[in-house]
């Protein structure tokens, strides 16, 4: 029932365990059969597609890749790292962090190589890899939810659509709803102690424009042109689309 939805009492990261930050962190051979409460099992990862083991690539498991436009992602992660920073450590300045980002020095590998790996995989095998953009979800969540359900092999029935099930899921999974839940305001991760509240800042598209300089924007747009050229992948930095 609606009141029994696990998202109301558990942080999303608890329900979707991370392979590298949770499952395998202290256990080289974890019990994968019993590590997830729900079936089929759901896992999260930041690993680039090229680094995924063949046991994943050649299996029947579905891969859903979620990305965000590079500028919003960069600003969000910069704030995230600041919230996790110990007081004795100085914050890396925005300009220095941006320079590292543009040179591919970034957590989980260079941004553009990361997204292009999954983008190309989704183009080559669309039944295996679904490539989603955060901006598209914010723009039309219901359409994207139906697309996701179809990809996973559990499409919504006509009765569910008419009964408002899609809208109900969209509401309970929304950034605004999750941010205000008690578990996400005061809870913390069991594996690393990170407060759940640091995962919920603004969740807005285009908020980067309040933080960066025109020269940074120009540099990133040139980088997008260079890295995504002829790939077919585009990003919406705000209300406009940045095309390679």
């Amino acid at each position: 029932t609606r009141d029994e939805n696990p998202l109301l009492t558990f942080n999303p990261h608890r329900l979707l365990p991370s392979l590298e930050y949770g499952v395998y962190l202290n256990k080289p051979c974890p019990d994968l059969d019993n590590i997830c409460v729900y079936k089929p099992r759901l896992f999260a990862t930041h690993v680039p597609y090229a680094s995924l083991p063949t046991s994943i690539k050649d299996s029947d498991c579905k891969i859903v890749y979620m990305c965000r436009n590079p500028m919003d992602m960069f600003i969000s992660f910069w704030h995230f790292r600041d919230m996790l920073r110990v007081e004795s450590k100085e914050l890396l300045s925005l300009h220095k962090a941006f320079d590292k980002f543009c040179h591919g020095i970034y957590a989980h590998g260079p941004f553009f190589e990361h997204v292009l790996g999954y983008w190309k995989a989704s183009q080559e095998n669309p039944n295996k890899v679904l490539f989603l953009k955060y901006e598209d979800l914010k723009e039309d969540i219901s359409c994207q939810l139906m697309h996701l359900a179809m990809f996973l092999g559990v499409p919504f029935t006509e009765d569910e659509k008419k009964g408002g099930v899609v809208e109900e899921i969209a509401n309970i999974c929304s950034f605004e709803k999750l941010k205000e839940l008690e578990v996400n305001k005061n809870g913390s991760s069991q594996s690393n102690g990170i407060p759940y509240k640091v995962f919920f800042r603004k969740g807005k598209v285009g908020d980067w424009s309040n933080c960066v300089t025109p020269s940074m924007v120009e540099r990133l747009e040139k980088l997008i042109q260079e890295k995504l050229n002829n790939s077919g992948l585009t990003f919406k930095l705000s209300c406009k689309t940045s095309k390679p």
Side-chain angles (χ1 to χ4, degrees):
T1 63
R2 183 181 308 174
D3 295 335
E4 295 175 341
N5 192 302
L7 281 173
L8 297 176
T9 50
F10 294 99
N11 177 267
H13 291 272
R14 178 82 179 277
L15 299 172
L16 196 66
S18 167
L19 290 175
E20 59 268 37
Y21 293 117
V23 179
Y24 286 93
L25 185 62
N26 297 311
K27 297 179 180 179
C29 299
D31 182 8
L32 295 178
D33 287 332
N34 299 304
I35 202 165
C36 290
V37 177
Y38 303 99
K39 299 292 189 277
R41 296 171 302 176
L42 296 173
F43 295 104
T45 184
H46 287 290
V47 173
Y49 185 78
S51 299
L52 291 179
T54 54
S55 59
I56 292 179
K57 293 178 180 177
D58 296 342
S59 71
D60 292 330
C61 76
K62 301 275 190 175
I63 298 174
V64 178
Y65 183 75
M66 171 64 69
C67 71
R68 196 175 184 182
N69 79 70
M71 193 62 93
D72 271 331
M73 191 282 301
F74 163 72
I75 292 297
S76 177
F77 191 71
W78 183 69
H79 280 290
F80 177 72
R81 291 307 297 258
D82 183 35
M83 288 187 282
L84 296 181
R85 177 174 55 89
V86 294
E87 292 185 5
S88 59
K89 191 172 183 179
E90 185 178 350
L91 172 66
L92 185 66
S93 73
L94 184 66
H95 286 278
K96 286 183 178 179
F98 185 70
D99 186 62
K100 287 179 177 290
F101 173 73
C102 290
H103 280 99
I105 305 172
Y106 209 67
H108 318 299
F111 173 84
F112 292 102
E113 283 75 2
H114 204 295
V115 295
L116 279 173
Y118 283 95
W119 170 254
K120 291 176 181 176
S122 72
Q123 300 299 295
E124 294 168 0
N125 195 350
N127 294 321
K128 170 76 172 180
V129 182
L130 176 62
F131 191 98
L132 296 177
K133 299 177 187 175
Y134 181 75
E135 294 75 28
D136 291 341
L137 268 71
K138 294 288 285 187
E139 188 173 299
D140 190 346
I141 183 63
S142 295
C143 178
Q144 294 298 323
L145 274 176
M146 288 189 284
H147 186 195
L148 174 61
M150 185 72 72
F151 170 77
L152 295 176
V154 285
F156 292 102
T157 65
E158 288 303 316
D159 287 342
E160 286 174 330
K161 293 177 185 177
K162 293 177 182 177
V165 174
V166 179
E167 289 76 15
E168 186 176 321
I169 292 175
N171 176 61
I172 202 167
C173 293
S174 70
F175 182 91
E176 293 75 17
K177 174 73 174 180
L178 293 175
K179 184 177 182 178
E180 294 305 314
L181 292 175
E182 190 67 25
V183 65
N184 296 326
K185 290 198 292 185
N186 298 307
S188 60
S189 171
Q190 293 180 328
S191 61
N192 51 32
I194 294 178
Y196 288 143
K197 63 182 180 182
V198 304
F199 292 103
F200 299 89
R201 195 175 67 90
K202 290 186 177 182
K204 294 182 179 179
V205 176
D207 186 61
W208 59 266
S209 60
N210 297 315
C211 305
V212 303
T213 64
S215 63
M216 292 168 72
V217 177
E218 182 181 359
R219 183 178 179 184
L220 183 66
E221 289 182 338
K222 288 182 179 178
L223 198 59
I224 290 175
Q225 174 80 26
E226 173 191 330
K227 295 291 187 178
L228 303 185
N229 187 38
N230 296 323
S231 68
L233 176 60
T234 60
F235 282 109
K236 294 179 181 177
L237 295 183
S238 55
C239 57
K240 66 178 182 178
T241 301
S242 183
K243 298 183 179 180

